[in-house]
Amino acid sequence: MNERIDLGLREAAASTPLPEGAVIQEIGVTGMTCAHCVRSVTEEISEIAGVHGVSVDLRVGEVSRVTIASDSPLDAALVRDAVEEAGYALAADPS
Ligand code: 9UX
């Protein structure tokens, strides 16, 4: 299954003009299998200061792609903590 789920948050899309200095990064997350997983990860990451958009490309049984838009580059440890707080894990290969 391969499905993009956006939970009403602002889409981190290139089509939208970004604020000065804004950053979009993509991370890989393992273990996500449903919309509730998507919600948990989205909510945890959204709580990081400076984050204004989270978009999840759910790939069940594979590495899901999580796109994060933020005002400035995020501390990688904060992102990892948020993913783990939600109950999932960063993929070894973030690309
Ligand atoms: Mo998604 Mo439910 O992993 O445990 S199936 S939240």
Side-chain angles (χ1 to χ4, degrees):
M1 189 166 75
N2 204 339
E3 180 183 4
R4 176 167 288 273
I5 300 177
D6 291 301
L7 300 168
L9 294 172
R10 266 181 292 168
E11 174 76 67
S15 59
T16 312
L18 287 167
E20 189 85 20
V23 176
I24 290 183
Q25 68 169 307
E26 189 175 74
I27 60 172
V29 176
T30 61
M32 300 171 69
T33 59
C34 74
H36 295 113
C37 305
V38 172
R39 174 174 292 277
S40 298
V41 168
T42 299
E43 288 180 351
E44 288 294 339
I45 292 175
S46 295
E47 287 176 9
I48 300 172
V51 170
H52 52 79
V54 179
S55 177
V56 177
D57 183 7
L58 178 64
R59 298 180 187 176
V60 176
E62 301 176 37
V63 177
S64 292
R65 301 290 157 177
V66 179
T67 306
I68 306 166
S70 55
D71 295 333
S72 58
L74 299 176
D75 183 336
L78 288 180
V79 175
R80 185 196 62 222
D81 287 350
V83 169
E84 293 180 354
E85 183 68 26
Y88 307 96
L90 280 185
D93 178 5
S95 64

